[in-house]
């Protein structure tokens, strides 16, 4: 058991460092972060008209996070496994006697680090709101934390999709589709349609699988155990799927 | 199993485990949450727990919610889930003393009839069916209380509303509060929010202006800009104070909201005061209104040049919690300001043996403004022109408590009966039942005196669009009535309503710009009027026989006078241009702040990170090339 954990940790550390270097050695991570920062700013200041609300809280800023993650994070994760196939390194990687779960976790963690860095770099928004008034910083901190967890959930979906496809574009599209399902499950249009066909209980049930449902409470400054368990569950499930899908490639490899 | 067959099976199994786990965990972990908000807005308070623990008779709550319609509104759906959770938490604390049921009133169903009959509000939705979203409470004697519509905007007060409903059902005989007022908003059904709020908690009884007796069993009396009282009426109130001792008094030297007199429509009774009680209690109301630049409330008002904007008006006061007594239960928990409109000041008599406590006061340098002037729509500029700072804060709210003596040392006065014989007979019957005169308190008095009657007006503290309060005017009076009727649990609960966290820096900039604007504008306008007067003087000296055009040209003036005329015209033009530019400057700093913050938050980070990216890419290319 101890050996297994050690194997996982070793391969996790190795793949984490390798992926992180890959992100920052090319302009990819920088471009990603720059565009993310700009868009989150545009949505907060222009679409939600943050300044005109006259209120020193970050609701208009956090409101867009699930939707921006849905579009952006699959772009960050699409290369995680698809790149290996494209560069021909996957065969070498899969032939190594390393823990696939550790590998997948390391890759996910590297992408999560970039996403976390992007989120952390939105700190001028937090400074701004403190400069303009006296916001509820406890509530803001908890919303940031939940947003980071939600980013991990989005990335785990994207990483798993990347392991299914050898094309980055296909991995990106598939990532967005699945992420959309998990986001829009709490979307009124969809919930309304499900309620109409299967009844309101089914609509409520469906909404239980939406990131929006769990993020909504966090935005009020309340940390729920079920939100923590849900996001952790999503990450673990997609990490597990990622691992078995990669393992399958190793098994069927000639 | 072959690897190819294994893959779909394992994928399906993992997804199934996830779905099952989510479905199980979701309801099981519902109550486990940590509230990180500063005021613990979303946690069950100890006051609610006390009310639930002390339930004497079982209470039944029916949550009425049209799920199908609610699904179309994410805010409503999320709020419904929150209400359900809160009800579960209540049930967990109260145990069998609280029964919870949920009904979903489908169109044309019996449940819909039940909801409508109970008073649940049918809210129009964009679809065909209405949305029902409220709570019906019943007790064992079938008394019913309803929260007609649960608005998601008012989540902060959900616990208070629910606990009050339960407390009210647990105590079938609510305290009786008499209202003696001349303000129509405090008399009519559908009047002020405060009246509706009082109606939900107390048995509210209107005391007629020409009363000859006070209602039997009245627990507290609230007098808001009361009519001029006859001796007999003052004596009745005096005796009520000595026997029951629970009174809230709102008096005002300049009531802006006072109705016009019935006989002479142009005449308004703008003043109400403490009458005979003032000297006995050692509290008197000023003849003039107070203005205060330190606590001036931002209101929408003309800003000159035909424009209107948000300006701080010194006759409208907004006293923040810092200017209220922290030691009094009535004000200690208020989290927002209390707003006043042309209030008076309460002067406390030195050496009076009665215990008095100042609860709210103005800033340190308020000014007296004549009451007749204060009730008009006087502009900020004119108010500032009349402003003469006085030393020291003035009291706006005072609590009087302890043993009191009668304001009628000679005993019961002789009543003056109405001329109408029927009315006289009714009056005589009421007078005959009056209790004998007593000279001092039978029970320690608890009196709250406020120096403004307008503070009950919705416009001063209720956002009618959101149907929520932005100041604690209502909360202060409800606190007093709750305390007087012995429901202290609700006091702590009411205080939890969150305050809106405004952009204080922007407000301060607006205030500062406004002060600058008015000072300089006043100087420029003086200069302008002086220049124009001199101009008129010069032109008058010109020949009266000339046509207007010629006079304007100043054809008959001496060269020196013509030179002065040109200089004056130039001065007038320049002054007017400067005035216009000040108006632009008024908004410029705030616009500039917004532009800077927008730039920093949208572009600065992106430019810096993008720059680093380009540098890394360039370095890497150079390394590869070399």
């Amino acid at each position: 058991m101890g050996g297994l954990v050690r194997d996982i940790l070793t391969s996790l550390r190795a793949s984490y460092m390798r992926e992180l270097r890959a992100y920052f050695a090319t302009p990819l991570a920088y471009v990603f972060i720059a565009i993310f920062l700009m868009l989150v700013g545009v949505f907060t200041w222009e679409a939600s008209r943050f300044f005109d609300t006259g209120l020193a809280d970050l609701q208009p800023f956090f409101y867009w996070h699930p939707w921006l993650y849905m579009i952006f994070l699959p772009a960050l994760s699409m290369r995680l496994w698809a790149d290996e196939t494209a560069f021909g390194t996957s065969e070498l990687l899969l032939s190594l006697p390393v823990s696939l779960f550790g590998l997948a976790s390391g890759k996910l963690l590297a992408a999560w680090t970039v996403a976390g860095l992007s989120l952390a770099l939105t700190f001028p928004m937090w400074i701004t709101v403190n400069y303009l008034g006296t916001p509820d910083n406890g509530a803001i901190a908890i919303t940031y934390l939940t947003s980071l967890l939600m980013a991990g959930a989005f990335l785990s979906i994207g990483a798993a999709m990347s392991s299914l496809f050898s094309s980055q574009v296909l991995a990106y599209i598939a990532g967005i589709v699945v992420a959309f399902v998990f986001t829009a499950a709490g979307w009124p249009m969809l919930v309304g349609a499900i309620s109409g066909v299967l009844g309101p209980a089914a609509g409520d049930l469906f909404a239980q699988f939406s990131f929006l449902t769990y993020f909504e409470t966090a935005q009020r400054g309340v940390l729920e155990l079920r939100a923590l368990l849900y996001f952790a569950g999503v990450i673990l499930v997609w990490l597990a799927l990622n691992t078995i899908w990669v393992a399958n490639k190793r098994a069927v490899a000639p | 199993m072959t690897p190819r067959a294994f893959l779909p099976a394992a994928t399906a199994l993992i997804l199934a485990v996830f779905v099952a786990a989510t479905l199980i965990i979701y309801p099981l972990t519902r109550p486990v949450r940590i509230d990180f908000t500063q005021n613990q807005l979303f946690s069950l308070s100890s006051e609610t727990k006390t009310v639930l623990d002390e339930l004497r008779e079982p209470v039944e709550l029916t949550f009425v919610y049209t799920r199908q319609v609610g699904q179309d509104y994410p805010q409503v759906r999320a709020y419904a889930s929150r209400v359900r959770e809160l009800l579960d938490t209540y049930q967990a604390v109260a145990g069998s003393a609280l029964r919870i049921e949920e009904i979903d009133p489908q169109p044309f169903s019996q449940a819909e009839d039940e909801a409508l009959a109970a008073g649940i509000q049918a809210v129009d939705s964009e679809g065909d069916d209405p949305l029902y979203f409220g709570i019906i409470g019943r007790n064992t004697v079938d008394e019913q209380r309803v929260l007609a519509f649960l608005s998601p905007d008012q989540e902060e007060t959900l616990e208070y509303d629910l606990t009050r409903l339960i407390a009210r059902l647990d105590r079938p005989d609510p305290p009786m509060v008499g209202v003696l007022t001349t303000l129509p908003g405090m008399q009519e059904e559908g009047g002020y929010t405060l009246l509706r709020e009082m109606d939900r908690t107390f048995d509210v009884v209107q005391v007629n202006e020409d009363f000859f007796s006070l209602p039997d069993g009245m627990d507290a009396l609230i007098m808001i800009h009361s009519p001029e009282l006859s001796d007999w009426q003052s004596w009745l109130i005096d005796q009520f104070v000595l026997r029951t001792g629970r009174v809230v008094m709102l008096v005002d030297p300049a009531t802006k909201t006072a109705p016009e007199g019935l006989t002479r429509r142009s005449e308004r009774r703008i003043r109400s005061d403490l009458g005979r009680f003032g000297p006995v209690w050692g509290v008197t109301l000023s003849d003039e209104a107070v203005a205060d630049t330190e606590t001036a409330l931002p209101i929408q008002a003309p800003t000159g040049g035909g424009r209107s904007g948000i300006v701080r008006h010194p006759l409208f006061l907004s006293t923040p919690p810092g200017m209220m007594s922290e030691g009094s239960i009535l004000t200690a928990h208020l989290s927002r300001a209390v707003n006043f409109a042309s209030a008076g000041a309460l002067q406390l008599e030195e050496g009076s043996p009665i215990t008095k406590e100042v609860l709210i006061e103005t800033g340190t340098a308020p000014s007296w403004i004549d009451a007749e002037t204060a009730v008009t729509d006087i502009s900020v500029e004119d108010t500032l022109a009349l402003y003469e700072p006085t030393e020291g804060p003035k009291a706006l709210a005072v609590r009087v408590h302890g043993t009191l003596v009668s304001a009628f040392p000679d005993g019961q006065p002789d009543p003056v009966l109405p001329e109408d014989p029927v009315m006289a007979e009714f009056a005589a019957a009421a007078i005959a039942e009056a209790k004998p005169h007593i000279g001092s308190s039978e029970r320690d008095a608890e009196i709250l005196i406020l120096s403004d009657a307008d503070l009950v007006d919705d416009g001063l503290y209720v956002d009618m669009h959101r149907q929520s309060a932005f100041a604690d005017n209502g909360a202060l009076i409800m606190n007093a009535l709750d305390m007087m009727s012995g429901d202290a649990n609700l006091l702590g609960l009411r205080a939890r309503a969150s305050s809106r966290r405004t952009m204080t820096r922007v407000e301060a900039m607006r205030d500062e710009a406004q002060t600058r604007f008015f000072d300089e504008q006043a100087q420029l306008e003086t200069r302008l009027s002086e220049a124009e007067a001199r101009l008129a003087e010069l032109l008058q000296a010109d020949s009266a026989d000339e046509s207007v055009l010629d006079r304007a040209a100043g054809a008959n003036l001496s060269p020196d006078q013509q030179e002065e005329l040109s200089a004056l015209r130039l001065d007038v033009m320049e002054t007017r241009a400067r005035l216009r530019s000040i108006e632009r400057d008024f908004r410029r700093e705030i616009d500039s702040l917004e532009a800077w913050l927008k730039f920093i938050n949208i572009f600065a980070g992106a430019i810096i990170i993008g720059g680093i990216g380009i540098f890394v890419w360039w370095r890497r290319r150079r390394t590869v090339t070399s």
Side-chain angles (χ1 to χ4, degrees), chain A residues 24-27 30 33-34 37-38 41-42 45-46 49-57 121-122 124-125 128 131-136 138-139 142 182 186-188 191-192 195-196 199-201 203-205 207-209 213-214 216-217 220-226 229-230 233-234 237-238 240-241 244-245 248 251-252, chain B residues 3-4 6-7 10-12 14-15 18-20 22-23 25-27 29-30 32-39 41-42 65 67-68 71-75 77-79 81-82 84-85 104 106 155 466 500-507 590-591 593-594 597-598 600-603 605-607 609-610 612-614 616-617 620:
Chain A
F24 287 101
T26 63
Y30 302 99
I33 294 172
L37 290 180
M38 207 160 76
V42 167
W45 288 80
E46 298 294 342
R49 306 206 61 78
F50 163 73
F51 200 78
D52 295 342
T53 64
L55 295 179
D57 73 45
L121 286 171
T122 60
M125 211 44 234
T128 300
Y131 174 75
L132 291 173
T134 47
D136 192 337
I142 230 55
F182 274 84
W187 204 26
V191 176
S195 301
D204 276 352
L205 214 65
Q208 284 177 25
F209 291 92
T213 305
Y214 296 92
E216 202 272 336
T217 324
R220 294 197 302 248
V222 176
L223 184 64
E224 292 187 308
L225 177 64
R226 65 182 177 194
L229 291 176
Y230 174 77
V234 171
V237 161
W238 288 98
L241 290 175
I244 62 164
W245 290 346
N248 181 61
V252 296
Chain B
R4 279 188 192 281
F6 166 78
L7 190 68
T11 303
I14 288 173
L15 289 175
F18 170 69
V19 170
T22 305
L23 293 178
I25 287 169
Y26 190 87
T29 57
R30 219 151 61 171
V32 190
R33 45 178 24 221
I34 310 171
D35 184 351
F36 281 87
T37 55
Q38 209 168 18
N39 298 334
L41 292 179
F42 304 101
Y65 173 51
R67 270 178 150 194
Q68 182 79 55
Q71 300 288 24
D72 294 340
Y73 303 91
Q75 240 198 322
R77 196 181 64 237
Y79 192 42
S81 157
R82 165 87 184 111
R84 222 172 270 131
E85 287 161 22
D104 183 352
Q106 297 295 321
E155 179 165 1
R466 295 182 64 199
R500 281 155 64 85
R501 292 165 186 267
T502 51
M503 293 181 182
T504 45
R505 184 170 295 267
V506 178
E507 284 176 0
I590 293 174
D591 289 347
L593 175 71
E594 182 184 1
L597 291 175
K598 207 186 261 188
I600 291 168
N601 281 289
I602 298 178
F603 299 110
I607 290 170
I609 299 292
I612 296 172
I614 291 168
V616 169
W617 174 74
R620 212 175 138 74

